Amino acid sequence: MSEHPTISWNEAGEQRSARWRSEVGNPAPKRVVIADDTLAADAAYKLACEGTALLWRGDYQNARQLLQALARRIDRKTTRSSVKKTAAKPASNSSVAAPDMTQSFHLHRQAQAQRARILGMLLLPLAPDYRLNLRRAPDISQACTEAYGPTDAIDSVVSLREVLGLIGAHEWRKKGVPVAALGATIHPYYGVFSPVRGEYLDLVAQAPLPPKATELAFDIGTGTGVLAALLVQRGVRKVIATDLNPRALECAADNLQRLGVADRVELTQSDLFPPDKASLIICNPPWVPAKPGSAIEAAVYDPDSRMLKGFLAGLPDHLSEQGEGWLILSDFAEHLGLRSRAVLLDLFEQAGLRVIERHDIKPRHPRASDAEDPLYTARSKEVTSLWRLALK
Ligand SMILES: C[S@@+](CC[C@H](N)C(=O)[O-])C[C@H]1O[C@@H](n2cnc3c(N)ncnc32)[C@H](O)[C@@H]1O
């Protein structure tokens, strides 16, 4: 039996199968038909909505156009249904309650998942050498190696949507994300949290360092290694940085090497804290307490605030005297009604922590000012904070 999931289909009267690849963990579609440039977008949309996957044998660029045509159909349907819902509401008057943001958030995630499911039905064959043997296809072998690791030399099938994600990640990794606070670029890897929203980095660059912080600091959940690099730049002589995700550790090692600070940062795979104590312990946990839809979303969604709670509860055992814990958290979850400020303050209290100071900053990313965004009401109020915490 193969240790990998497989996908099977019938082609020219022959039963065939290949390795199924899905980094987001989607199961292999059960119904698969062969499709090419002759398939009309409406017919493709109907099949995809019914759960029938389309294994593409046509031109690569036409497959991309078909994917865009499917996306347009989904978006048209979503707009129509939201218009219908608005029309069904009672006429507006001053006593009508504000829209329930929690419900909007869950509906938005549901709609995103449904969109991803339909768009994930357009599949491409991937040759054992990570090549797409389709007309006008780009060379994605490097992008595949970066995300999947060395090839296992067997035929596989992957969704076009995933392929576009691999290509995008490869470009980000090559170009890097400029980090003003660091005066350098950070190169995120596929599946590793990218510091595209730079405002929290400004907070870390500017908050006053606690006494003795220059000796040793911990960076909990280092991701690309950006915060560890910032602390070194601020004069911290040694940082121990942890992450659970091996891709993050590999990515952090690469970035720290590029920045010439690898000898000042020790990377270790551990759940939250390394052993011992430090004078500064920093953590930027995922900001939204919700179940991740896939492993890749684990850096954005923290189910039941597991990382946040673990960080706060573990601080007293790991902070040295006069040490500070720096928690980076936006209040987006509060505006979505997913976690209240009182609950957060209570977590500090339960851990025996006091707030020395809170440094706030408004997000600068374009979605924060996009009134068309379904979560705009919450996004427009969002504030990102660096909480400086100490033992009581
Ligand atoms: C929101 S990202 C922040 C990454 C980075 N510190 C930054 O600010 O850009 C959270 C990181 O924590 C890691 N993580 C999640 N749970 C963890 C745990 N229990 N122990 C260590 N790292 C964890 C994730 O893999 C992810 O890289």
Side-chain angles (χ1 to χ4, degrees), residues 2 6 30 39 53 60 69 122 196 201 271 285 337 346 376 384 386:
S2 158
T6 55
K30 296 252 180 310
L39 182 67
Y60 174 84
L122 185 50
V196 276
L201 303 169
D271 188 355
D346 198 43
Y376 173 69
T384 304
L386 187 159

Side-chain angles (χ1 to χ4, degrees), residues 244-268:
L244 275 180
N245 178 359
R247 270 184 183 151
L249 293 167
E250 208 191 315
C251 172
D254 183 11
N255 280 305
L256 298 166
Q257 188 73 41
R258 286 172 189 260
L259 296 167
V261 295
D263 57 334
R264 307 264 292 274
V265 183
E266 184 183 317
L267 291 165
T268 153

Side-chain angles (χ1 to χ4, degrees), residues 231-354:
L231 293 182
V232 170
Q233 195 189 56
R234 293 200 60 190
V236 177
R237 278 195 288 280
K238 183 172 176 199
V239 180
I240 302 180
T242 69
D243 210 292
L244 275 180
N245 178 359
R247 270 184 183 151
L249 293 167
E250 208 191 315
C251 172
D254 183 11
N255 280 305
L256 298 166
Q257 188 73 41
R258 286 172 189 260
L259 296 167
V261 295
D263 57 334
R264 307 264 292 274
V265 183
E266 184 183 317
L267 291 165
T268 153
Q269 183 171 22
S270 47
D271 188 355
L272 298 173
F273 299 89
D276 299 330
K277 296 185 178 218
S279 297
L280 175 60
I281 308 182
I282 192 164
C283 181
N284 174 21
W287 293 343
V288 182
K291 206 167 154 261
S294 67
I296 285 175
E297 283 187 353
V300 182
Y301 298 113
D302 188 16
D304 194 29
S305 300
R306 181 192 170 277
M307 189 175 183
L308 170 67
K309 288 178 183 168
F311 172 69
L312 295 173
L315 270 181
D317 285 342
H318 294 276
L319 271 185
S320 19
E321 225 178 296
Q322 291 186 292
E324 288 184 20
W326 285 6
L327 170 68
I328 299 159
L329 201 64
S330 105
D331 61 1
F332 186 46
E334 295 177 18
H335 300 300
L336 292 175
L338 297 174
R339 180 183 56 229
S340 69
R341 176 58 55 102
V343 163
L344 180 66
L345 297 179
D346 198 43
L347 290 175
F348 297 164
E349 184 67 31
Q350 281 172 32
L353 299 165
R354 67 186 169 87

